[in-house]
Amino acid sequence: WSVALTRRSARVGGCSMGSFRSTSRCVLCLAGTSALLILIDSISEVVLYSRVPNGFARLIGVVIGCIIALSIPYCGWQGVRDRNDGMLCLFSHFSYAIGCLDCLAFCLCCALVVVGVGFTHLAQSCDETAQPNDVCDDDLKNKLYDTCEEFSIHFKKAVLNSTLTSEEASQVAAEMNDRLSEQKCIDTLAGWGFVLAAAGVILAVTRCFLLCLHCASGHYGGKVRTLLDEDPRAVGSDSDSD
């Protein structure tokens, strides 16, 4: 009986160690992917703000934000290598928290798509070439014209107060005023609605990927903690992640 029990314990321990190694690799892979995405996003923001006048303060904010964001995948990476339950706990719970924010952002992106599609349909229904319909009447069409006119006025003020030269600002304002004229207002609004919907789809797909990434990080981070609690021998053993 003692020999059978010893063999059974060996099989169970081997299975636990194999599961620990594979789960650890998942955590390392997820943490590395998160760190890479954070670095790519931060570098793109640095390049963008480096070309903007007086963008030094924003660059400092980007660097600080990058350091804070990288601390989460660092906890997962170092927690696996050192078998540190506290760091794995931070990695797992913060990943779940960010996943909840991703879920909220995904819902907002879907709402953005709905608004964009609805706005495009409304603008197309008010087009001069459209057949008479119950969606758009003269009163609604006049409101759209008024919206274009008000936006053109506010846009011109914003451009004139920007860092552009007076000549460049006047040219940009004139182009926008032409696009928002009564003859082109409906077509411009329809185009903006399409762009809004397309941007919402792209953002929704991106946010869905990040949602899966962060939820998987939280799951596998918690699984490593559970395996460490169930098999303390994994704490002092060497794994392929070292």
Side-chain angles (χ1 to χ4, degrees):
W1 285 102
S2 60
V3 174
L5 182 61
T6 301
R7 291 178 177 175
R8 175 180 174 82
S9 299
R11 288 196 298 270
V12 172
C15 179
S16 178
M17 281 305 304
S19 178
F20 176 81
R21 290 192 178 98
S22 62
T23 307
S24 297
R25 292 192 193 99
C26 289
V27 172
L28 294 176
C29 181
L30 291 168
T33 302
S34 297
L36 179 61
L37 292 176
I38 292 170
L39 288 174
I40 292 174
D41 180 66
S42 300
I43 292 173
S44 63
E45 290 187 5
V46 167
V47 173
L48 175 64
Y49 290 134
S50 63
R51 301 178 179 178
V52 177
N54 302 323
F56 181 73
R58 295 182 179 180
L59 289 177
I60 295 177
V62 170
V63 173
I64 295 175
C66 178
I67 294 174
I68 295 174
L70 285 174
S71 64
I72 298 176
Y74 172 79
C75 286
W77 185 279
Q78 202 63 32
V80 168
R81 293 180 63 86
D82 294 343
R83 317 295 191 269
N84 190 309
D85 182 76
M87 299 188 78
L88 286 170
C89 179
L90 289 174
F91 174 72
S92 177
H93 286 79
F94 272 106
S95 295
Y96 276 132
I98 297 175
C100 292
L101 296 178
D102 288 330
C103 183
L104 177 61
F106 175 78
C107 293
L108 293 177
C109 292
C110 292
L112 191 67
V113 174
V114 173
V115 171
V117 172
F119 199 74
T120 302
H121 175 69
L122 178 63
Q124 290 176 347
S125 299
C126 293
D127 189 83
E128 296 292 343
T129 60
Q131 297 294 329
N133 56 79
D134 298 332
V135 177
C136 183
D137 53 15
D138 292 337
D139 185 45
L140 179 58
K141 188 178 295 185
N142 291 330
K143 288 182 179 180
L144 291 178
Y145 291 147
D146 292 339
T147 301
C148 287
E149 184 178 357
E150 291 179 6
F151 183 84
S152 178
I153 294 173
H154 291 299
F155 182 82
K156 183 177 181 179
K157 292 180 179 179
V159 170
L160 292 176
N161 294 328
S162 66
T163 57
L164 296 175
T165 63
S166 58
E167 183 179 353
E168 292 175 341
S170 300
Q171 182 179 358
V172 172
E175 291 178 358
M176 182 58 68
N177 186 61
D178 179 64
R179 290 183 180 182
L180 294 176
S181 62
E182 187 170 328
Q183 292 78 14
K184 300 181 180 179
C185 172
I186 301 298
D187 292 336
T188 301
L189 293 179
W192 286 356
F194 175 79
V195 171
L196 189 67
V201 171
I202 294 174
L203 291 174
V205 172
T206 304
R207 192 55 59 179
C208 183
F209 170 76
L210 294 176
L211 171 63
C212 296
L213 175 66
H214 291 134
C215 288
S217 299
H219 170 73
Y220 284 105
K223 190 174 181 180
V224 170
R225 294 183 63 208
T226 302
L227 291 172
L228 288 175
D229 292 337
E230 292 178 352
D231 189 1
R233 289 176 298 176
V235 176
S237 62
D238 294 332
S239 68
D240 296 340
S241 62
D242 292 336

